[in-house]
Amino acid sequence: MKNKEKRAVRRSGAKIMASLILLLGSLAYIMVLAVINGSVGFLCAMGVTLFGAVGIAKALGEAISLSYGVIVTLTIVCGVLRGLLRYLEQYSNHYIAFRLLAVLRDKIFGALRTLCPAKLESKQKGSIIAMITSDIETLEVFYAHTISPICIAVLVSSCICVFVGTVSGWWLALVALVGFVTVGIVVPMISSGKLKESGVRYRSEFASFNAYFLDSIKGIKDIVLHNAGTEREAEVNRRSDVLLGETKKMKHDTTKAAAATELCVSLFILITLAVGILLVTKDMLTIGRMIIGVVAVFGSFGPVIAISALPGNLTQTFASGDRVLNLLAEEPAVQPVIDGKDMVYNNLEVKNLSFSYDGQTQVLSDICMHAEQGEIIGIVGESGCGKSTLLKLLLRFWKKNQGEILYNGADIDVIDSESLLDNVTMVSQVTYLFDETIEENLRIAKPDAMKEELEEACKLASVHDFILSLPEGYQSRVGALGDNLSAGEKQRIGLARAFLRGSALILLDEPTSNVDSINEGIILNALKEQKSKKSIILVSHRESTMSIADRIYHMEGGKLWA
Ligand SMILES: Nc1ncnc2c1ncn2[C@@H]1O[C@H](COP(=O)(O)OP(=O)(O)O)[C@@H](O)[C@H]1O
Ligand SMILES: [Mg+2]
């Protein structure tokens, strides 16, 4: 966890920003529109006070060719335009942001699909949930409230400098320029180091607290059973206090930075005024032009204040952006084979198969086995010897290191992935049922199945009668059944899914190890009856499960023998 966080801040802010902007793609032109609207809008806002100053300058005897009527009209036009342009700016920014969030969510789910299942085994589920929810939300801040403010600040500040320089002389323009650079760049840079640190720490505490809390809720039954509630509660409270502490620190740092900014703005306004007065006393500037110049500078800090307020958000944004970019850049453990060989399962042969997850610890070494049509193959071995790993390799969840996995004589790496998954199905130790109806849960194996097909599969898995005994039959919601659904019944539904899928080869990974002996008997019988139509590879650490097997392999320490 700690290592991951360290890696997450390693990509530089500029690089993250560039990568995130690249994701804009064709939405970039709307961003340009937003920036133009925002800049012109801000200049209009300044126009309101500026034309006021022009009016005063005229009253003070400055030679201004505009009549009072025109000055008042221009002031009103500026005011109305400001409102309109601001609306357009915000509209385009949010249009971009939400369109992009939709695109990003789609990309993340796409990435999860290709990374699944291998790469997701090791990732904490809490952090993925955090990524899908809060990280994406944080990026909204970036797209809607970060890129265009920066561009607007640069554009508006340049316009003001040129304007003040032409109207009131370049000395005042220089003061304004130094002010903009100080408020918009220097102060934020000084405070950003601290803010970045506290932002990253806050995010990491937040994610870790979420994961721990979610985990505690999921395991609440075991906590109560082992009377471990007090310790768990204490740990939740401790983490919550740490999170609160980090939040306070972050708020404290943010406030300090904001105060420094305000102070600088006030200082530079005073300096501008002083320089203006000095220039007037030295007869280098008329009072009227001085007033116009000073008023222009007074009102012009808005956009740079807006970017100085960014770092607090930005560090969080960068941390979120980095995590999202990391996920998008993560290489899947295996690439699906597209346009590969189609197959109709007939037999399986494994030759000298070796595998290691990390390149160091050998999990499987030199495995040889075969399975023919209509056979039930048993693989028995102690927990941790590599049985599940072997099954995962047969489904190509991971890429094998050495040896061959041949379906009908063709290597698994050239077989079309879709075709492979159509032919081979796995029922794992625990069947996950979604909080939907039983029927919908079955349909994930075959979305367009006829009702008769569903019932047929359930009959084969000896679970049809049980489902009918439920108050709403196939329409019963799994969530509403809660504990009324035993592990054995869930497993039988899992088995029905596998039958419904219609695959010729079914891999069963400890299908009965969480199940009572009655259910084990039912499941094993159901399998035996399928024997003539299906090939089955049955894995278990229990010898008793092997009673239905035609041939049995033994496994120990990653080695297999008959
Ligand atoms: N995703 C993984 N990453 C790294 N090591 C793993 C992973 N899955 C399993 N292992 C390790 O591989 C070995 C074999 O595990 P497994 O195939 O699950 O055994 P079995 O199913 O026989 O109990 C174990 O030492 C386990 O810790
Ligand atoms: Mg296992």
Side-chain angles (χ1 to χ4, degrees), residues 118 121-122 357-358 363-364 381-390 392 398 509-510 539 555:
E121 276 181 0
S122 49
Y357 283 104
D358 53 10
V363 177
L364 300 179
E382 294 288 310
S383 175
C385 69
K387 306 182 296 296
S388 298
T389 304
L390 174 60
K392 284 180 215 161
W398 295 88
D509 192 0
E510 314 251 10
V539 154
M555 197 176 214

Side-chain angles (χ1 to χ4, degrees), residues 463-539:
V463 71
H464 175 68
D465 292 334
F466 165 75
I467 294 174
L468 285 189
S469 76
L470 295 171
E472 287 168 87
Y474 278 83
Q475 298 311 319
S476 309
R477 287 191 73 89
V478 168
L481 295 171
D483 286 344
N484 291 341
L485 221 49
S486 74
E489 284 142 8
K490 279 189 194 162
Q491 273 316 64
R492 277 147 63 191
I493 294 177
L495 202 58
R497 266 182 189 162
F499 289 151
L500 187 62
R501 181 118 185 103
S503 308
L505 175 63
I506 300 182
L507 312 178
L508 298 141
D509 192 0
E510 314 251 10
T512 59
S513 60
N514 286 326
V515 162
D516 57 38
S517 54
I518 299 178
N519 269 297
E520 173 167 37
I522 297 176
I523 290 172
L524 293 180
N525 259 330
L527 290 175
K528 216 164 149 187
E529 277 175 23
Q530 283 305 298
K531 207 182 107 162
S532 54
K533 294 170 221 133
K534 307 267 177 212
S535 302
I536 291 169
I537 298 181
L538 175 61
V539 154

Side-chain angles (χ1 to χ4, degrees), residues 77-337:
V77 168
C78 277
V80 173
L81 267 182
R82 164 60 168 166
L84 199 70
L85 291 171
R86 176 82 178 154
Y87 175 81
L88 285 178
E89 179 209 343
Q90 289 293 319
Y91 186 90
S92 352
N93 274 338
H94 285 87
Y95 175 79
I96 296 168
F98 288 107
R99 273 287 295 275
L100 219 86
L101 295 194
V103 172
L104 269 182
R105 284 205 178 90
D106 191 52
K107 276 188 199 254
I108 288 188
F109 282 117
L112 291 179
R113 261 198 298 275
T114 51
L115 292 176
C116 182
K119 281 282 171 87
L120 298 192
E121 276 181 0
S122 49
K123 292 232 189 285
Q124 265 196 321
K125 289 210 176 74
S127 71
I128 288 176
I129 292 171
M131 184 176 299
I132 295 169
T133 55
S134 58
D135 281 347
I136 294 282
E137 290 301 321
T138 316
L139 289 186
E140 191 259 342
V141 174
F142 178 75
Y143 289 112
H145 307 286
T146 306
I147 307 179
S148 63
I150 291 177
C151 300
I152 290 171
V154 172
L155 265 177
V156 169
S157 303
S158 316
C159 286
I160 298 290
C161 285
V162 171
F163 174 80
V164 172
T166 346
V167 174
S168 321
W170 295 101
W171 279 113
L172 272 192
L174 184 67
V175 175
L177 182 65
V178 175
F180 295 146
V181 171
T182 310
V183 174
I185 301 176
V186 179
V187 175
M189 262 172 60
I190 294 172
S191 42
S192 82
K194 253 191 148 170
L195 285 176
K196 186 167 179 172
E197 247 176 61
S198 48
V200 169
R201 272 208 312 271
Y202 166 79
R203 285 287 310 164
S204 108
E205 276 310 321
F206 187 74
S208 122
F209 179 81
N210 267 358
Y212 189 80
F213 195 73
L214 218 72
D215 200 35
S216 305
I217 302 261
K218 276 191 195 145
I220 200 153
K221 202 175 74 190
D222 291 79
I223 295 175
V224 171
L225 272 178
H226 294 96
N227 201 15
T230 328
E231 289 83 359
R232 199 81 186 179
E233 189 187 344
E235 179 62 13
V236 168
N237 282 335
R238 192 190 67 76
R239 286 176 185 237
S240 157
D241 287 343
V242 173
L243 180 59
L244 188 66
E246 292 299 341
T247 315
K248 271 188 188 157
K249 262 187 236 157
M250 192 181 64
K251 294 274 177 218
H252 188 81
D253 290 349
T254 316
T255 316
K256 266 210 312 222
T261 303
E262 291 295 330
L263 190 70
C264 275
V265 171
S266 307
L267 260 178
F268 272 98
I269 286 178
L270 286 178
I271 294 174
T272 313
L273 189 60
V275 172
I277 292 173
L278 193 73
L279 291 174
V280 171
T281 53
K282 296 216 160 178
D283 271 341
M284 291 166 76
L285 197 62
T286 62
I287 290 197
R289 283 178 177 266
M290 187 273 276
I291 291 180
I292 295 176
V294 170
V295 167
V297 177
F298 273 17
S300 64
F301 280 92
V304 276
I305 293 178
I307 48 170
S308 79
L310 290 179
N313 299 331
L314 260 193
T315 42
Q316 280 189 40
T317 311
F318 283 169
S320 293
D322 203 24
R323 269 194 294 271
V324 170
L325 291 171
N326 275 343
L327 182 81
L328 294 182
E330 180 125 26
E331 289 290 326
V334 277
Q335 293 287 352
V337 181

